[in-house]
Amino acid sequence: MIPYGKQNISQEDINAVIEVLQSDWLTQGPKIPAFEQAVASYCNSNNAVAVSSATAALHIACLALNVGKGDIVWTTPITFVASANCALYCQATIDFVDIDKDSGIMSIEALTVKLEEAALNNRLPKVVIPVHLAGQSCDMQAIKALSVQYKFRIIEDASHAIGGQYKNNPIGSCQFSDIAVFSFHPVKIMTSAEGGMALTNDAELAEKMQLLRSHGITSDQNKMTEHSHGPWYYQQIDLGFNYRMTDIQAALGLSQLEKVDEFVKKRNQLAQQYDLAFEQTNITPLKQNSQCYSAYHLYVIQLHEQNSAKHKTFIEQLRANKIFTQVHYIPVHFQPYYQELGFKLGDFPAAETYYQRALSLPLYPGLTESEQQYVIDKVKSLL
Ligand SMILES: *Cc1c(COP(=O)(O)O)cnc(C)c1O
């Protein structure tokens, strides 16, 4: 079986984990700040906060930006549900901005039109969460310009995108955003088993997220309401969670980070092979922006014909040939929970068309040349 994605674990990764197991700290020890500093420095960002998942990072990122009841948050319908759920965790209202049909990412045109309408109706979003689908950055400079005009904050859901670049800057540098979030789930670019990180250039936001990841508890005298009762003393000054990453995970993440450039380079090479093989066929890969270096978390192709029955058969036939492709994603507003909130079929036409045409082919650093050739041959013959 050839899956669509897979982690890549080396002996050094295993040794790094064993070393932590034999140390004094299993959680919130020295590996956490070491991992945070390493990722922040890799991404050219001032602060990084390690947490238990990207889902947790998105939640506390929203809270740090004071998202709450009565606020509106926008994201894209073509994403994992977590990008939208974070707003609902905060009792905010969620809405979506349709995608660009060729690249799959948030359409700047759709965002502009929706902002103009929202301004007239007094329904402007407090936060917009662009998602770097498949590892390609959204047009952050354009989104930033709109955020200045319409006064919203920006959280990049960069779960797919560590190792990628936008206008020659690492994704995660937060040049055009308030916070950027990575996922270290095994299927992503690099892994800490479960894990996530929030990056920001704003020290205050970083402090707030540090507090929220661990119950809202502080041991910092400067933040307390009264003098410390003694060396045991701490205060809970906000309502936080247990969203901590363990040292075991951070050690794995640190070890994986050393290979992230190599991983992304290999993913780009494999993607190029696919691109070449599918020229002059009835499928088109996601359109790439020349200003971006994609981390290529996914290799998404779109069938030319919009025919959900053929799309389904194609995916089933690939599975029968032991090629496990996947559809990224079912539009979030199709989910029953979101339909209950009032979203309907037809709300985001580009996303809905995309859903009937897109699939992700196998792409991971360990995919061999002969496996890739097998995938290419099967895809071509099934077309
Ligand atoms: C994987 C993913 C998440 C959630 O990541 P976890 O670390 O599993 O919580 C959020 N957003 C997107 C776009 C993802 O792909």
Side-chain angles (χ1 to χ4, degrees):
M1 183 195 98
I2 308 179
Y4 81 84
K6 194 169 156 183
Q7 72 271 24
N8 195 295
I9 301 292
S10 67
Q11 190 58 48
E12 291 87 64
D13 294 336
I14 295 167
N15 294 345
V17 167
I18 292 173
E19 194 195 304
V20 172
L21 288 170
Q22 291 167 333
S23 77
D24 290 335
W25 302 91
L26 293 188
T27 191
Q28 294 276 101
K31 293 294 181 192
I32 296 291
F35 186 33
E36 288 173 337
Q37 277 152 28
V39 174
S41 125
Y42 177 78
C43 293
N44 250 329
S45 170
N46 290 344
N47 309 276
V49 181
V51 285
S52 51
S53 67
T55 304
L58 287 164
H59 184 191
I60 60 174
C62 284
L63 290 174
L65 294 173
N66 294 316
V67 171
K69 210 177 163 100
D71 292 326
I72 299 170
V73 174
W74 291 357
T75 187
T76 159
I78 297 297
T79 185
F80 186 54
V81 291
S83 317
N85 286 344
C86 56
L88 301 181
Y89 296 159
C90 304
Q91 274 85 51
T93 300
I94 187 79
D95 201 355
F96 302 93
V97 180
D98 210 350
I99 60 164
D100 168 70
K101 67 179 178 40
D102 298 319
S103 62
I105 52 181
M106 184 180 282
S107 157
I108 300 302
E109 210 184 316
L111 177 61
T112 308
V113 170
K114 200 175 171 92
L115 284 165
E116 285 164 1
E117 280 173 15
L120 293 176
N121 302 327
N122 229 346
R123 300 276 298 159
L124 282 168
K126 183 169 208 169
V127 171
V128 173
I129 308 180
V131 178
H132 303 328
L133 183 74
Q136 173 167 235
S137 177
C138 295
D139 189 350
M140 293 310 300
Q141 197 162 11
I143 296 173
K144 177 73 190 181
L146 289 166
S147 83
V148 173
Q149 187 180 349
Y150 291 100
K151 304 200 179 6
F152 58 83
R153 311 293 292 267
I154 303 169
I155 301 172
E156 295 172 76
D157 185 343
S159 290
H160 297 182
I162 192 168
Q165 293 177 8
Y166 172 72
K167 301 201 172 188
N168 296 317
N169 267 318
I171 292 177
S173 67
C174 300
Q175 194 188 354
F176 300 108
S177 69
D178 296 285
I179 299 171
V181 166
F182 292 135
S183 170
F184 304 126
H185 182 279
V187 88
K188 307 288 163 71
I189 304 287
M190 56 166 270
T191 189
S192 61
E194 295 282 1
M197 206 174 278
L199 288 90
T200 179
N201 289 322
D202 182 330
E204 229 173 276
L205 290 177
E207 257 183 42
K208 187 135 191 228
M209 292 192 286
Q210 274 157 4
L211 199 63
L212 290 169
R213 80 169 158 194
S214 197
H215 308 282
I217 281 173
T218 184
S219 305
D220 179 353
Q221 178 64 64
N222 295 322
K223 298 206 184 82
M224 293 186 191
T225 55
E226 61 173 313
H227 266 293
S228 170
H229 298 179
W232 67 87
Y233 193 63
Y234 58 82
Q235 280 190 345
Q236 186 194 335
I237 57 172
D238 203 341
L239 183 61
F241 311 88
N242 181 351
Y243 280 167
R244 295 186 301 263
M245 180 183 272
T246 67
D247 259 39
I248 303 169
Q249 292 167 313
L252 177 55
L254 256 177
S255 178
Q256 287 258 303
L257 184 65
E258 292 196 17
K259 289 173 295 188
V260 73
D261 285 336
E262 194 188 308
F263 288 165
V264 170
K265 192 171 153 207
K266 187 68 202 286
R267 286 174 174 278
N268 271 271
Q269 284 165 352
L270 291 164
Q272 249 173 28
Q273 292 303 318
Y274 276 139
D275 284 349
L276 278 175
F278 300 138
E279 275 175 8
Q280 268 126 41
T281 63
N282 279 334
I283 51 178
T284 310
L286 289 186
K287 188 168 175 199
Q288 300 296 307
N289 177 339
S290 61
Q291 314 251 40
C292 297
Y293 174 63
S294 177
Y296 269 112
H297 164 51
L298 301 169
Y299 189 83
V300 177
I301 56 171
Q302 294 197 72
L303 304 178
H304 285 185
E305 203 181 346
Q306 183 189 339
N307 181 326
S308 54
K310 282 193 183 165
H311 178 243
K312 181 167 173 241
T313 307
F314 188 61
I315 291 169
E316 283 170 348
Q317 284 173 335
L318 285 168
R319 287 210 178 198
N321 284 285
K322 303 211 174 339
I323 299 169
F324 276 62
T325 67
Q326 182 57 275
V327 178
H328 297 98
Y329 290 89
I330 305 160
V332 177
H333 69 288
F334 278 14
Q335 297 295 347
Y337 191 86
Y338 282 80
Q339 300 259 307
E340 284 281 314
L341 296 177
F343 293 102
K344 303 178 306 296
L345 266 66
D347 282 349
F348 306 100
E352 294 172 24
T353 301
Y354 172 94
Y355 176 56
Q356 293 182 11
R357 294 171 49 194
L359 60 143
S360 305
L361 296 182
L363 183 68
Y364 47 91
L367 185 71
T368 66
E369 215 174 298
S370 62
E371 283 169 334
Q372 188 180 30
Q373 196 55 53
Y374 173 77
V375 174
I376 290 169
D377 293 343
K378 282 290 170 217
V379 165
K380 280 183 160 176
S381 69
L382 288 172
L383 281 174

